[in-house]
């Protein structure tokens, strides 16, 4: 355990320093809850991995705070200077969460004091704009201070590499091994937090021309139409993407855009949602209520840092939120039509629907399946579109080599407007795709655990006792990806297939105490689409029951 007294003494932030002193005093007085909390906070330095840093904001080395951020910044700069020299260029962005601005400015101050060049956005900004700046400014690295759609108490530190630090396919992409380990090693060698030098001036602001270039490029991704009167409701869920989303839509010809007023302004406490993730049940209730009252044609929702995009559409039965796989299918089919003429590769994660592979093949395009996360998807050579089922979409890899909820939202507006001009809806188009390619029905099974040790135990139990049948069909393949494969690096996951082609992908969550199972049933349409969907739904229910049983540890 890290020395408590030494850490407190060298904590550069008086707020967390005082907080830790009070916590230690309670623990010393015999408060068992305080003792447990103190032990957890000092169990080690917050792990720096391929997602950078992410955790609860509080004092101590195992939390997000200014001491931890300064050490991370110093380690990153040390790594960069070893790779490219002292004049490494780092671009920095931050969202509107508590402490984000302080963490970003500390990073700029550390980088400048160490001799690197630092550029920082002057205001909070969406994550895609930071990813854009890495490539647009040919920076050697980018840092985005954000916890995306995590709870209000969390913050994070996302790192991209570019410029001279990585090869072409990794330009402007989030870090992967071995870079995470190399940076983590440098962080472990940094001085005590208050001994890391800080500059008071010397960094520069990222000018408005960088944002302007993004707006121009994003709005030009779709064919320009005469102004559409299609009514669109958008929500940023108290995040930083609302203004940018509206500007991009307006520039592309969509002028009838309404924001969910109660969620339009950035607010780090996210007061109108219990969890600021558009995927969470109930998260879009207020937005759907607004869309219904306005009789809107489309709802576009971004998560708080706007790197993800969800959507909902009106149907005869009421408003329906689309799944990440449905949005990926719609955008993928649109981009594949262009790719059929220009070439390029489509990609998605192994836990996403296999329908994108089918669509790519129907347009004569190659397809690649990757590990979960855009750090892998965005590295696919010759990529023209990539997505993961967790509402992340990369529609312009040459501009933003990461998921971008702004440009994805624009694509959804364009698709809806194009269909509307032909008297059709998004639901109609999903029906057409199902009729052509089959019903690809996806659903999750999630096993939540109270003890983190149960996650590897659950995976070990499944490896030792895989089911022999799934949904009444014999299991024909059990692929263990822990040793990697011909096309994938090693990862803790199992892929099960039955004779009918139904699939289950099981992996432990990287951010939550859960074991996640991603299920897919494929049912080709022989009689009617309605019958095929009914068959798929029935088989999915059976598949969910089977996998729930397979993932339950014996008592």
């Amino acid at each position: 355990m890290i020395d408590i007294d030494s850490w407190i003494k060298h904590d550069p932030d008086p707020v967390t320093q005082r907080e830790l002193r009070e916590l230690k005093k309670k623990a010393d007085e015999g408060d068992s809850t305080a003792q447990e909390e103190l032990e957890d906070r000092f169990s080690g330095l917050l792990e720096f991995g391929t997602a950078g840093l992410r955790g609860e904001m509080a004092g101590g080395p195992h939390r997000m705070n200014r001491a931890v951020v300064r050490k991370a910044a110093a380690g990153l700069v040390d790594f960069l200077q070893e790779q490219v020299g002292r004049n490494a260029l780092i671009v920095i962005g931050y969202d509107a969460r508590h402490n984000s601005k302080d963490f970003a400015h500390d990073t700029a101050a550390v980088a400048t004091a160490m001799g690197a060049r630092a550029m920082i956005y002057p205001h909070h900004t969406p994550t895609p704009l930071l990813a854009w700046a890495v490539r647009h400014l040919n920076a050697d690295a980018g840092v985005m201070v954000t916890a995306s759609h995590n709870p209000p108490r969390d913050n994070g530190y996302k790192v991209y590499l570019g410029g001279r630090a990585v090869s072409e396919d990794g330009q402007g992409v989030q870090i992967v091994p071995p870079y995470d380990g190399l940076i983590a090693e440098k962080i472990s060698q940094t001085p005590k937090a208050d001994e890391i030098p800080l500059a008071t001036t010397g960094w520069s602001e990222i000018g408005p021309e960088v944002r302007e270039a993004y707006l121009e490029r994003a709005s030009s991704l779709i064919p320009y139409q005469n102004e559409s009167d299609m009514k669109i409701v958008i929500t940023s869920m108290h995040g930083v993407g609302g203004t940018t989303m509206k500007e991009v839509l307006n520039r592309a010809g969509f002028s009838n855009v309404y924001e969910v007023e109660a969620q339009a302004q950035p607010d780090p406490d996210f007061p109108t949602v219990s969890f600021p993730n558009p995927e969470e049940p109930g998260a879009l209730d207020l937005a759907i209520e607004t869309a219904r009252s306005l009789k809107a044609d489309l709802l576009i929702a971004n998560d708080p840092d706007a790197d993800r995009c969800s959507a909902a559409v009106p149907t005869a039965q009421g408003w329906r939120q689309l799944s990440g796989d449905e949005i990926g299918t719609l955008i993928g089919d649109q981009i594949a039509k262009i790719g059929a003429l220009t070439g390029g590769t489509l990609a998605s994660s192994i836990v996403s629907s296999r329908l994108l592979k089918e669509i790519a093949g129907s347009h004569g395009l190659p397809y690649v399946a990757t590990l979960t996360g855009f750090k892998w998807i965005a590295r696919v050579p010759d990529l023209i579109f990539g997505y993961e089922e967790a509402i992340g979409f990369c529609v312009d890899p040459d501009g933003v080599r990461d998921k971008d909820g702004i440009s994805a939202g624009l694509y959804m507006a364009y698709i809806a407007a194009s269909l509307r001009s032909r008297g059709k809806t998004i639901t109609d188009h999903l029906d057409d795709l199902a009729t052509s390619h089959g019903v690809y029905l996806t659903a999750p099974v999630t096993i939540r655990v109270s003890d983190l040790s149960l996650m590897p135990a659950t995976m070990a139990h499944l490896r030792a006792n895989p089911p022999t049948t799934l949904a009444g069909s014999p299991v024909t393949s059990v692929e263990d990806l822990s040793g990697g494969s011909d096309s994938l690096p090693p990862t803790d996951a199992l892929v099960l297939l039955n004779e009918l082609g139904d699939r289950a992908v099981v992996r432990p969550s990287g951010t939550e105490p859960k074991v996640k199972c991603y299920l897919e049933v494929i049912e080709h349409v022989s009689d009617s689409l309605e019958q095929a969907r009914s068959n798929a739904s029935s088989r999915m229910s059976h598949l969910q029951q089977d996998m729930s049983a397979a993932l339950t540890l014996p008592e």
Side-chain angles (χ1 to χ4, degrees):
M1 199 165 81
I2 294 172
D3 184 86
I4 296 173
D5 290 324
S6 176
W7 181 277
I8 294 174
K9 177 182 176 182
H10 293 283
D11 188 335
D13 186 346
V15 174
T16 49
Q17 188 180 60
R18 182 170 58 252
E19 171 194 315
L20 289 171
R21 283 187 176 136
E22 291 173 358
L23 183 64
K24 184 175 184 297
K25 183 174 181 290
K26 289 180 181 178
D28 290 343
E29 291 171 350
D31 186 325
S32 59
T33 302
Q35 182 61 44
E36 288 178 11
E37 174 71 9
L38 197 66
E39 289 176 0
D40 185 47
R41 292 194 191 193
F42 283 85
S43 57
L45 193 63
L46 191 62
E47 184 179 355
F48 186 93
T50 55
L53 298 170
R54 189 171 292 190
E56 184 178 349
M57 287 179 283
H62 203 240
R63 298 289 188 269
M64 278 295 295
N65 51 67
R66 297 181 80 169
V68 167
V69 164
R70 289 184 189 184
K71 290 175 74 68
L76 173 61
V77 174
D78 194 9
F79 161 80
L80 286 173
Q81 291 179 329
E82 190 173 90
Q83 298 292 313
V84 307
R86 282 186 59 81
N87 66 336
L89 173 61
I90 304 174
V91 291
I92 304 161
Y94 57 94
D95 67 11
R97 284 177 178 263
H98 294 296
N99 297 317
S100 286
K101 185 175 181 178
D102 289 339
F103 294 165
H105 280 85
D106 279 353
T107 300
V110 169
T112 303
M114 292 179 67
R117 294 174 294 147
M119 299 180 70
I120 187 169
Y121 272 105
H123 308 290
H124 52 64
T125 195
T127 292
L129 274 160
L130 187 278
W132 161 261
V134 176
R135 289 176 65 85
H136 185 70
L137 297 173
N138 196 29
D140 298 304
V143 170
M144 182 67 196
V145 180
T146 179
S148 192
H149 53 270
N150 274 38
R153 64 180 181 273
D154 289 357
N155 215 326
Y157 197 83
K158 186 182 294 188
V159 175
Y160 301 79
L161 293 180
R164 298 163 292 172
V166 288
S167 62
E168 181 56 36
D169 289 335
Q171 288 286 314
V173 188
Q174 294 177 56
I175 55 173
V176 296
Y179 303 112
D180 58 334
L182 294 172
I183 296 169
E185 184 179 354
K186 293 294 186 184
I187 293 171
S188 70
Q189 298 167 2
T190 55
K192 293 178 173 57
D194 65 343
E195 295 173 359
I196 295 171
L198 288 177
T200 54
T201 59
W203 58 88
S204 60
E205 288 188 349
I206 296 173
E209 69 279 0
V210 176
R211 182 174 186 272
E212 175 62 26
Y214 170 85
L215 293 172
E216 280 299 305
R217 183 177 179 101
S219 60
S220 68
L221 291 174
I222 64 170
Y224 189 79
Q225 305 288 303
N226 292 325
E227 184 171 341
S228 170
D229 65 351
M230 185 175 74
K231 191 176 292 185
I232 303 171
V233 169
I234 64 172
T235 178
S236 59
M237 301 196 74
H238 303 291
V240 296
T243 300
T244 307
M245 185 76 256
K246 191 170 186 178
E247 282 188 64
V248 168
L249 286 169
N250 288 166
R251 291 190 185 204
F254 298 97
S255 57
N256 206 3
V257 180
Y258 299 83
E259 292 187 79
V260 178
E261 189 173 340
Q263 297 175 338
Q265 295 304 312
D267 188 328
D269 295 317
F270 309 108
T272 68
V273 290
S274 57
F275 201 96
N277 180 355
E279 291 184 290
E280 288 291 315
L284 293 189
D285 285 356
L286 184 58
I288 287 174
E289 181 183 320
T290 303
R292 184 185 295 115
S293 67
L294 291 172
K295 295 182 170 56
D297 301 291
L298 177 68
L299 166 62
I300 298 170
N302 292 128
D303 67 341
D305 70 325
D307 66 345
R308 298 172 191 260
C309 173
S310 188
V313 295
T315 70
Q317 292 75 39
W319 278 81
R320 180 170 85 84
Q321 184 174 0
L322 303 178
S323 71
D325 282 318
E326 287 176 321
I327 298 171
T329 295
L330 290 163
I331 300 177
D333 179 63
Q334 177 64 38
I335 292 178
K337 292 172 184 174
I338 302 168
L341 303 174
T342 62
T345 298
L346 273 61
S348 60
S349 65
I350 58 171
V351 302
S352 301
S353 172
R354 290 165 287 176
L355 180 51
L356 187 67
K357 180 180 181 180
E358 176 75 15
I359 287 171
S362 71
H363 290 282
L365 296 173
Y367 165 84
V368 173
T370 76
L371 295 186
T372 304
F374 269 82
K375 57 185 176 286
W376 301 111
I377 295 170
R379 276 184 160 74
V380 170
D382 202 25
L383 183 70
I384 56 173
F385 173 68
Y387 93 95
E388 61 182 3
E389 50 76 41
I391 59 172
F393 312 95
C394 177
V395 307
D396 180 29
D398 288 339
V400 175
R401 215 161 179 86
D402 193 13
K403 53 187 176 292
D404 181 351
I406 304 294
S407 56
L410 174 62
Y411 257 94
M412 287 303 296
Y414 171 66
I415 291 166
S418 298
L419 290 166
R420 184 170 175 262
S421 69
R422 304 196 303 273
K424 302 190 76 172
T425 67
I426 280 178
T427 305
D428 294 334
H429 191 47
L430 287 170
D431 287 347
D432 291 342
L433 289 168
T435 300
S436 299
H437 302 294
V439 174
Y440 284 67
L441 181 63
T442 58
V445 167
T446 300
I447 304 298
R448 187 179 289 272
V449 298
S450 55
D451 182 348
L452 291 178
S453 67
L454 295 176
M455 292 167 66
T458 300
M459 294 299 295
H461 172 70
L462 183 62
R463 285 186 168 97
N465 305 278
T468 56
T469 63
L470 287 174
S473 174
V475 171
T476 57
S477 170
V478 179
E479 185 179 12
D480 188 346
L481 296 180
S482 59
S485 69
D486 292 341
S487 57
L488 296 170
T491 188
D492 187 7
L494 284 171
V495 182
L496 296 85
L497 288 172
N498 69 8
E499 204 169 66
L500 295 174
D502 302 334
R503 184 186 70 175
V505 182
V506 185
R507 70 179 185 92
S509 171
T511 56
E512 300 173 278
K514 297 176 180 178
V515 175
K516 294 185 173 182
C517 183
Y518 304 82
L519 306 178
E520 182 170 43
V521 166
I522 302 174
E523 179 76 16
H524 292 290
V525 180
S526 53
D527 297 323
S528 69
L529 178 58
E530 183 180 0
Q531 184 61 52
R533 285 203 165 121
S534 176
N535 293 344
S537 179
S538 176
R539 215 157 75 241
M540 177 59 78
S541 295
H542 195 170
L543 185 58
Q544 287 177 305
Q545 292 171 9
D546 288 347
M547 286 309 301
S548 292
L551 290 169
T552 301
L553 290 172
E555 295 184 3

